[in-house]
Amino acid sequence: MANRISALEGHYNPRRYGKEGSIGITLTEVRDLTLHQIAGWVDTMDAVGKKGATAVGAKEAPGPCSASHGSKGAMLRIEPMKWWLYGAEAPSLASSEGATLDVSHSRTHIRLSGENATTLLNRHLPINLSEAAFPVGSVASTAFHHVGVAVWRSEEGFELFLPRGFALSLWEMLEAGAGQFGAEIV
Amino acid sequence: MTAKRLSSGGRIDRSQSLSFKWDGNIYNGYAGDTLASALMANGENVLGRSFKYHRPRGIMSAGVEESGAIVTIGEGAKKDPNVKATTQELYDGLMASGQNAFPSVRFDFGGVNNLFNKFFAAGFYYKTFMGLPPFEWGSKGTWLWMQYEKVIRNAAGMGRASREFDPDTYEHGHDFCDVMVVGSGPAGLTAALEASDAGLDVLLVEQDFMLGGDDLNRAGDLDLIAAVEASNIRVMTRTTAFGLYDYGVAGLLERVTDHMAEAPDYMPRQRFWTVRAKYTIVASGSLERHVAFGHNDRPGIMTANAGAAYLNRHGVLAGENIVISTNNDSAYSVAADLAGAGASVSMLDARETIAGATAEMASGAGIDITFNAAPMRAHGPKGIKKLEYASNSDHGWHHAGTVSCDLALISCGWSPVVNLLSHRGVKPVWNHENACFMPVESNEPLAVAGSATGHWNREDCIASGRAAATQAMNALGVSKTQVSAPANAGWENPIEPLYEVRVDSHKLKSFIDPQHDVTSDDVRLAHLEGFVSVEHLKRYTTLGMATDQGKMGNIIGIALMAEALGKDIPEVGTTTFRPPYTPISLGALTGRGVYDHFRPLRRTPMNAWNLEKGAVMMEAGLWHRPWYFPEKGEGISEAYIRETEITRNKVGLCDVTSLGKIAVQGPDATTFLNRIYTNAFAKLAIGKARYGIMLRDDGMVMDDGTTWRLSEDEYFMTTTTAHAAKVMVWLEELLQTRWQDLKVHVTSVSEQWAGIAIAGPESRNVLSKIASNAAEVTNDELPFMGVTQTTLKGGIPVRIARISFSGEMAYEAYVPSDYSRDLMDMLWEETTKVGGCLYGTEALGAMRVEKGHVTGTELDGRVTIEDAGLGGMASKKKDYIGNVLRKRPEMAKEGRPQLVGIFPVDRSKKFNAGAILCEKGKVSGFGVGWTTGVTHSPSFGHWLGVGFLEGGYKAWEGKTLIASDPTRAGDVEVEIVSPHMYDPKGERMHG
């Protein structure tokens, strides 16, 4: 099988940089993203949601603006009638039931973690990412420097899904802003 | 002014000595100083030169309203002009210099302007110099005026910005809170504490580097500050709330490192915040007013409150022999403080008398008061030495005496800072009792507290802060408490409105807006010249248009205009304050969106590969696309001609990832496509692609592209690069608003798939070498407009359609983006074996012009499907979007401009895109058409183009026209040909 080349290839430079002392931000590119979209129709949303939840090993499909974490992956409600299955293959759906789509190469997956991750991300994203307003399990489609991006707060931090063509440009902005908190790229 | 630093007192840290430089001299100050307080303590009293007259100016205030001590900070690339010394925090290593002066603010040759001040009244160069007779009379233009305007501009002005690139970084930020409190005086602090105690998330914003507001200027404990610091309140100092916008949005500017000599390179200099608050409390304070009197701009004249601030906050006694002129009670506590610090203090009070606690305070401090007295004229060009004063009678003001002094403090009323309310469209109303504009209640989740709403003593400010917090808590549902705000009690002794002291028989130069050198006579002149609106007055005199935006002089100017018009101030009104409250650097507005990030840069997955192969890139919207691939010193012309020739004769590869790609899925996908495209899609077979045109509702062409049928219920649509997002949004809109019954999902997959065009006679040969199964791409298996989903060597999944934009036999192949490098490596290896090349958008454009294919350049929103020469694609058997309105008479009439091909009659001649097509002898106006795309055609060996021409090709076949391009190529004779210039029968792409 051919090699998957990241949009950040040649520009992803693992290191410790910026403010000395404790590390406030950890940036990670999560490579080899597996991401499938499943969509239902008005009368099949429940059934499609259950199939999606089964695919990721979750108890139930998430509602709007949220995610369900399962044994095989996670399920994110990304649009009113669409979910993303993260880390899992899509279930088989008849067209009368819904539609599946492999979008694994369409996004670059960046994880932000650390004490200052919320602060850094809110330097770019215009939505309230505080723990109270955007707790673990929250999902949003929002804007980053005019570009539509998806963000999901997992147990490990903020999972950013950047459109691949914009990923390097947005990565450079994140990287530049992270130094003030003491940053590490792993 | 003989200022001195006191050995004790103030809120400075005397253990932290800071060294700084002013105009080359090294001085020391302390942590907690502003540049103004430190310069004052070091005996510097001339810190600036005025805008027009170059008059010496000193410190006039202790805040953002400063109009005298305006200086330049830093040097070289980090030079920052027009900084108010009164707000600049002192730091070790600060370098500051005077501006608008040569050689220095102490001695400035530009001061000669002041000798001619009679000639420099408001609007002088409009009246005196423009149309200078006899040189610029009639139609002779204004060339001469333009020349001496440069001289005038050079002589006037403020600081000069650095011409070097800004080395600093800036960034944006977003924040959210329940309650945002603007201002940290006693009202703001109280409001923040109350709201926080109720469990609300409170953001406290303070433009100063210290919390406290007016508490800092008074002796006493800072108990409220201590309480805030011990609370959960989120505090932002060095941050100005510069604007309020819809839905609780506030714009903030945080000066992150402006107080540091050397900031770490990872820190931004400033941060531009967008804060979304559920409730906003404005406790922005009030500004003390001056009064217009003769030479009231002399160094050593400042607001009374500034005298208190320098004493109680910075430990600097601004003068030893002080006269305070007032019309209200607030200056008496200042007088008492200064007297207590050892100064000799006397007072001029415009009122007839005072009583009560204020009088007792003055008496207790031993202060000599002259009633019915106001300043008339100051003496001492570089530092006040004496002050003439006047008394009022039935006949107006008359000279009454002279008092020696080294500092004059003025307190002629207070103006609540209503700017932020004004941003929300709340018009302040004039309050006669307090002689100021007061804010009125807003219907938004917003409250005003403290002196910003006319409370003049600390207890009332605290009470109003508490009331504002209660309003916020009620609005946010955490309390239901009766709001009990203190009434506006006014002053203990009523204020005596005073805006100007004019004395008959004395010619006085009285400034009302010192920063722009606007005098009281300028206002009267404007009135004499017919300006009756305060907005016009502002623009004619430039009153309130300097960096302080009228903070110091607006009210006086309005009052004088009202007097001139014989009206009351409320009838004249006030100007509308607009953001920003204080100046913002352009860098902060752009944030990190500079250089390559000015717009988000969109790279194709082959971007690095293309660059490695020597691509010269161009911007196509946000995309970076290969423009051409020069070899051995080629320029663009040589490169694209070579690329075109090789592609037409062998094979060329072109990155077409930027085309929009949309997955259309669902049982009703066919029905959906049949409705949006003009041509039929109902019977498109699986494994086939079709070229389609979609129209807007109004019948104009929106976009074109090919759509591939992948399965019974799934299509892969491609759009133009330019219209990809527009088409995606359009499809979503149709599904969500008009055709909710259709079971169709559309998803942009532009980022999922990397696209390559393989064009030329050898394209099938090349493709067959990299396909896992070469038999799948034979002419039989993959004929023209055929589609296959298969794999390439290495197991790379691929979608291939045999479609052509170049006019050659060609394929578009799409692989998942992360595999694009493997795809390109394989393709390139086989392409080079047959002598093929890479080609960019220039060659792509050349080939499409030769073929007469339309692009976004032609499909500019004014073109019908017939205009584009594609009328045959408009189905007569079905309905589709745009089908009704495209048949309107105007759009269906004969003679509309239609697509044509264009050759120069003299084949050696060049003509340009954008040229107007005119009939011979009628080269004027809009002509009969225009050119949209031209190229030097490698296939024909001469220039050719496409364009639109009234009536189209058939109306002009064999006729010659003029391609008129007066600013570039001039007139070129052209002949009109079919737009399908190259291989009109399409034999090559079917080969």
Side-chain angles (χ1 to χ4, degrees):
Chain A
M1 193 64 182
N3 297 315
R4 289 183 65 169
I5 304 296
S6 160
L8 308 184
E9 185 76 13
H11 300 270
Y12 189 77
N13 181 16
R15 68 192 188 283
R16 166 79 171 84
Y17 68 100
K19 184 182 176 186
E20 294 178 356
S22 61
I23 294 171
I25 297 283
T26 301
L27 294 167
T28 311
E29 185 196 4
V30 184
R31 302 287 296 269
D32 297 331
L33 173 66
T34 299
L35 195 65
H36 290 83
Q37 178 178 284
I38 62 169
W41 313 118
V42 173
D43 52 352
T44 64
M45 285 297 287
D46 287 345
V48 171
K50 282 177 184 167
K51 283 195 173 185
T54 303
V56 300
K59 287 181 183 171
E60 58 185 9
C65 304
S66 61
S68 296
H69 205 276
S71 57
K72 291 178 264 184
M75 188 175 182
L76 286 61
R77 186 76 168 263
I78 202 69
E79 285 182 32
M81 297 179 75
K82 291 175 182 172
W83 289 273
W84 277 354
L85 305 182
Y86 170 80
E89 295 299 319
S92 176
L93 295 180
S95 77
S96 58
E97 197 174 10
T100 68
L101 195 63
D102 184 354
V103 290
S104 300
H105 292 243
S106 69
R107 300 295 195 281
T108 297
H109 179 190
I110 305 294
R111 178 173 295 143
L112 284 88
S113 55
E115 187 183 345
N116 301 111
T118 306
T119 307
L120 174 63
L121 209 48
N122 260 148
R123 296 282 154 84
H124 302 284
L125 272 49
I127 57 171
N128 192 347
L129 296 171
S130 67
E131 184 70 45
F134 200 77
V136 169
S138 300
V139 172
S141 291
T142 179
F144 182 161
H145 195 41
H146 314 287
V147 177
V149 302
V151 59
W152 158 41
R153 191 172 203 157
S154 73
E155 294 285 354
E156 295 176 83
F158 290 101
E159 317 286 349
L160 261 184
F161 297 95
L162 309 176
R164 194 186 191 286
F166 292 110
L168 178 54
S169 184
L170 301 180
W171 167 258
E172 288 170 344
M173 297 181 83
L174 273 178
E175 188 181 30
Q180 60 193 287
F181 304 104
E184 184 176 29
I185 298 173
V186 295
Chain B
M1 195 164 79
T2 48
K4 65 179 181 183
R5 177 83 74 182
L6 301 178
S7 58
S8 63
R11 308 190 190 283
I12 53 173
D13 182 354
R14 287 180 174 77
S15 69
Q16 281 194 61
S17 179
L18 306 175
S19 174
F20 68 102
K21 194 181 278 188
W22 164 251
D23 267 349
N25 298 315
I26 296 173
Y27 293 125
N28 285 307
Y30 296 111
D33 262 328
T34 61
L35 176 61
S37 68
L39 285 169
M40 184 186 284
N42 282 282
E44 290 284 355
N45 60 344
V46 178
L47 303 183
R49 286 279 169 168
S50 72
F51 179 75
K52 196 160 61 171
Y53 304 124
H54 286 246
R55 289 165 68 97
R57 293 277 164 80
I59 297 165
M60 293 181 162
S61 71
V64 296
E65 70 274 33
E66 178 60 24
S67 289
I70 298 173
V71 303
T72 296
I73 302 292
E75 58 184 6
K78 285 182 172 281
K79 190 163 80 168
D80 196 13
N82 306 329
V83 175
K84 295 169 179 69
T86 49
T87 60
Q88 174 61 52
E89 184 175 356
L90 193 70
Y91 55 82
D92 201 44
L94 183 150
M95 299 175 69
S97 55
Q99 60 185 38
N100 195 32
F102 178 80
S104 76
V105 291
R106 295 288 304 173
F107 179 80
D108 173 22
F109 284 118
V112 70
N113 282 10
N114 195 32
L115 301 176
F116 302 101
N117 63 63
K118 285 183 180 174
F119 302 104
F120 296 151
F124 75 97
Y125 69 85
Y126 298 122
K127 295 180 289 196
T128 314
F129 294 101
M130 193 184 284
L132 189 71
F135 308 108
E136 295 183 344
W137 272 358
S139 58
K140 291 179 180 174
T142 55
W143 182 87
L144 196 58
W145 176 76
M146 297 291 280
Q147 305 315 304
Y148 42 69
E149 195 208 16
K150 291 174 189 169
V151 177
I152 295 165
R153 284 183 178 278
N154 204 36
M158 307 185 77
R160 292 178 190 277
S162 170
R163 309 289 290 188
E164 299 176 46
F165 280 102
D166 188 342
D168 294 312
T169 55
Y170 304 80
E171 69 179 10
H172 291 178
H174 300 269
D175 208 340
F176 304 81
C177 60
D178 294 326
V179 178
M180 180 179 74
V181 180
V182 179
S184 71
L189 292 169
T190 302
L193 284 165
E194 292 280 328
S196 179
D197 285 349
L200 295 173
D201 176 26
V202 179
L203 187 67
L204 177 60
V205 180
E206 172 54 57
Q207 63 187 354
D208 205 319
F209 54 92
M210 292 175 73
L211 290 179
D214 201 46
D215 271 3
L216 298 173
N217 304 331
R218 311 275 164 245
D221 292 337
L222 301 176
D223 51 332
L224 288 173
I225 298 173
V228 165
E229 287 173 347
S231 73
N232 291 325
I233 295 167
R234 294 187 288 138
V235 174
M236 295 179 75
T237 52
R238 302 187 180 95
T239 304
T240 303
F242 64 78
L244 288 187
Y245 305 89
D246 291 346
Y247 307 112
V249 172
L252 271 53
L253 181 77
E254 181 184 9
R255 291 167 291 279
V256 182
T257 61
D258 281 355
H259 61 293
M260 299 179 187
E262 291 290 336
D265 61 3
Y266 50 76
M267 292 298 290
R269 181 188 163 211
Q270 294 176 349
R271 197 172 284 134
F272 176 107
W273 287 97
T274 304
V275 172
R276 292 164 178 83
K278 293 176 186 168
Y279 202 95
T280 302
I281 296 174
V282 176
S284 49
S286 54
L287 298 175
E288 197 170 24
R289 290 201 298 264
H290 274 270
V291 62
F293 65 91
H295 301 317
N296 58 341
D297 63 328
R298 295 300 195 203
I301 302 175
M302 65 176 78
T303 59
N305 195 53
Y310 291 114
L311 174 68
N312 293 319
R313 179 172 174 182
H314 302 292
V316 179
L317 187 58
E320 294 177 343
N321 188 17
I322 304 170
V323 59
I324 301 177
S325 177
T326 189
N327 66 345
N328 66 86
D329 291 348
S330 68
Y332 282 84
S333 65
V334 178
D337 286 353
L338 291 167
S344 168
V345 181
S346 60
M347 295 197 71
L348 306 174
D349 195 321
R351 297 171 291 187
E352 292 294 340
T353 186
I354 60 169
T358 307
E360 288 170 17
M361 182 196 301
S363 173
I367 293 166
D368 179 42
I369 308 170
T370 304
F371 288 105
N372 185 18
M376 179 189 122
R377 179 160 49 202
H379 294 268
K382 294 184 180 177
I384 188 168
K385 297 189 184 313
K386 60 182 179 181
L387 182 69
E388 293 179 74
Y389 62 91
S391 291
N392 204 2
S393 69
D394 294 342
H395 305 291
W397 292 95
H398 59 273
H399 187 272
T402 302
V403 57
S404 296
C405 60
D406 63 357
L407 177 69
L409 301 179
I410 311 295
S411 179
C412 278
W414 290 81
S415 298
V417 176
V418 295
N419 298 54
L420 294 179
L421 276 294
S422 188
H423 300 171
R424 300 304 314 130
V426 178
K427 280 269 182 194
V429 295
W430 183 255
N431 181 299
H432 285 283
E433 185 185 355
N434 289 280
C436 63
F437 281 104
M438 293 271 203
V440 295
E441 200 162 313
S442 164
N443 57 8
E444 297 184 8
L446 189 153
V448 191
S451 64
T453 190
H455 296 295
W456 306 125
N457 66 63
R458 189 170 187 270
E459 290 70 31
D460 283 352
C461 286
I462 288 172
S464 76
R466 193 171 292 123
T470 306
Q471 276 182 262
M473 291 185 284
N474 288 348
L476 298 178
V478 296
S479 74
K480 289 183 179 176
T481 312
Q482 184 72 31
V483 177
S484 58
N488 293 120
W491 300 98
E492 183 183 24
N493 300 283
I495 188 171
E496 174 70 37
L498 182 62
Y499 307 103
E500 185 186 21
V501 181
R502 291 173 71 191
V503 179
D504 288 344
S505 77
H506 289 268
K507 186 70 180 169
L508 302 175
K509 193 78 173 172
S510 306
F511 289 86
I512 55 176
D513 183 347
Q515 205 174 125
H516 259 185
D517 273 350
V518 180
T519 66
S520 52
D521 282 344
D522 286 331
V523 173
R524 282 185 281 272
L525 180 65
H527 169 250
L528 287 173
E529 293 181 2
F531 292 91
V532 295
S533 156
V534 68
E535 295 286 356
H536 294 163
L537 166 78
K538 170 181 173 176
R539 282 152 184 83
Y540 187 62
T541 62
T542 73
L543 170 68
M545 292 173 71
T547 65
D548 75 322
Q549 287 287 290
K551 292 183 182 64
M552 188 159 268
N554 248 23
I555 299 299
I556 302 175
I558 290 166
L560 298 190
M561 191 67 172
E563 182 188 27
L565 292 169
K567 295 180 176 179
D568 285 338
I569 288 176
E571 294 178 81
V572 175
T574 182
T575 56
T576 302
F577 295 108
R578 295 186 177 86
Y581 175 61
T582 50
I584 302 176
S585 64
L586 293 175
L589 292 174
T590 56
R592 294 194 184 274
V594 293
Y595 303 110
D596 280 349
H597 299 297
F598 178 65
R599 300 187 300 171
L601 198 161
R602 199 173 189 185
R603 295 171 170 90
T604 74
M606 292 89 139
N607 183 73
W609 192 94
N610 287 322
L611 290 171
E612 288 166 19
K613 294 293 180 286
V616 175
M617 307 298 276
M618 67 168 291
E619 291 183 0
L622 299 177
W623 289 101
H624 273 201
R625 296 189 67 183
W627 189 7
Y628 58 100
F629 292 84
E631 288 183 356
K632 299 171 190 155
E634 285 178 334
I636 183 171
S637 296
E638 296 88 349
Y640 93 80
I641 289 171
R642 173 183 51 76
E643 291 167 15
T644 304
E645 287 174 341
I646 291 175
T647 301
R648 293 232 183 271
N649 293 306
K650 293 178 181 171
V651 63
L653 307 176
C654 183
D655 180 353
V656 294
T657 304
S658 63
L659 292 176
K661 299 173 280 291
I662 299 170
V664 183
Q665 298 173 294
D668 295 323
T670 304
T671 303
F672 177 61
L673 292 173
N674 216 36
R675 291 182 185 179
I676 60 169
Y677 280 126
T678 62
N679 47 327
F681 270 73
K683 295 179 180 172
L684 180 65
I686 296 169
K688 290 289 183 183
R690 183 163 291 171
Y691 176 71
I693 300 274
M694 59 178 78
L695 308 183
R696 303 187 311 221
D697 276 326
D698 65 1
M700 294 296 183
V701 176
M702 171 186 263
D703 197 48
D704 68 342
T706 59
T707 291
W708 315 2
R709 189 163 196 174
L710 303 178
S711 69
E712 181 65 26
D713 302 312
E714 181 166 358
Y715 293 82
F716 180 69
M717 174 189 286
T718 66
T719 74
T720 60
T721 298
H723 296 153
K726 187 165 77 175
V727 171
M728 180 67 202
V729 170
W730 173 235
L731 300 186
E732 280 284 16
E733 181 187 327
L734 291 173
L735 288 170
Q736 292 183 25
T737 61
R738 298 189 203 180
W739 300 328
Q740 293 172 336
D741 57 317
L742 291 187
K743 287 187 172 178
V744 179
H745 282 301
V746 291
T747 305
S748 172
V749 287
S750 297
E751 301 286 355
Q752 169 73 11
W753 298 95
I756 189 80
I758 311 158
E762 295 286 347
S763 56
R764 185 187 300 134
N765 181 22
V766 168
L767 191 57
S768 67
K769 297 283 174 50
I770 67 166
S772 295
N773 181 1
E776 290 182 325
V777 296
T778 62
N779 194 38
D780 289 339
E781 291 297 318
L782 193 59
F784 185 64
M785 300 309 278
V787 173
T788 185
Q789 298 183 81
T790 181
T791 57
L792 302 175
K793 287 179 178 172
I796 300 173
V798 65
R799 292 175 176 177
I800 306 170
R802 187 168 154 196
I803 49 181
S804 176
F805 192 58
S806 60
E808 301 301 325
M809 180 171 69
Y811 301 85
E812 277 182 19
Y814 292 92
V815 301
S817 295
D818 286 357
Y819 298 136
S820 60
R821 177 170 282 274
D822 280 356
L823 168 74
M824 295 310 293
D825 285 342
M826 284 194 292
L827 271 177
W828 186 233
E829 184 179 347
E830 298 304 327
T831 298
T832 50
K833 284 179 186 172
V834 296
C837 71
L838 300 167
Y839 68 96
T841 53
E842 193 67 21
L844 184 80
M847 287 187 275
R848 79 93 186 171
V849 173
E850 289 179 339
K851 283 294 294 180
H853 286 161
V854 291
T855 66
T857 312
E858 284 74 33
L859 305 180
D860 63 356
R862 299 178 296 173
V863 173
T864 67
I865 194 166
E866 285 82 6
D867 297 344
L870 301 166
M873 294 184 64
S875 173
K876 295 185 175 69
K877 298 178 181 174
K878 62 152 191 167
D879 207 357
Y880 51 87
I881 293 275
N883 187 34
V884 174
L885 293 184
R886 81 179 184 86
K887 294 172 182 168
R888 285 174 290 171
E890 183 63 24
M891 295 169 70
K893 73 174 185 181
E894 293 289 319
R896 280 182 61 86
Q898 293 183 330
L899 191 72
V900 295
I902 306 162
F903 282 3
V905 172
D906 177 347
R907 300 292 198 252
S908 66
K909 294 276 189 178
K910 175 188 177 184
F911 61 104
N912 286 323
I916 301 293
L917 297 171
C918 302
E919 293 179 85
K920 282 184 179 176
K922 296 182 182 175
V923 181
S924 64
F926 297 107
V928 290
W930 64 94
T931 58
T932 55
V934 300
T935 186
H936 185 276
S937 166
S939 307
F940 288 84
H942 61 78
W943 286 87
L944 52 79
V946 290
F948 287 93
L949 187 59
E950 290 178 3
Y953 161 60
K954 287 181 182 171
W956 298 90
E957 184 179 4
K959 296 179 183 173
T960 59
L961 291 169
I962 300 297
S964 180
D965 186 14
T967 59
R968 294 180 295 179
D971 291 350
V972 177
E973 198 172 354
V974 295
E975 61 179 283
I976 304 306
V977 299
S978 161
H980 309 299
M981 293 166 276
Y982 179 80
D983 185 26
K985 293 182 180 175
E987 291 165 343
R988 295 180 67 86
M989 59 187 181
H990 288 90

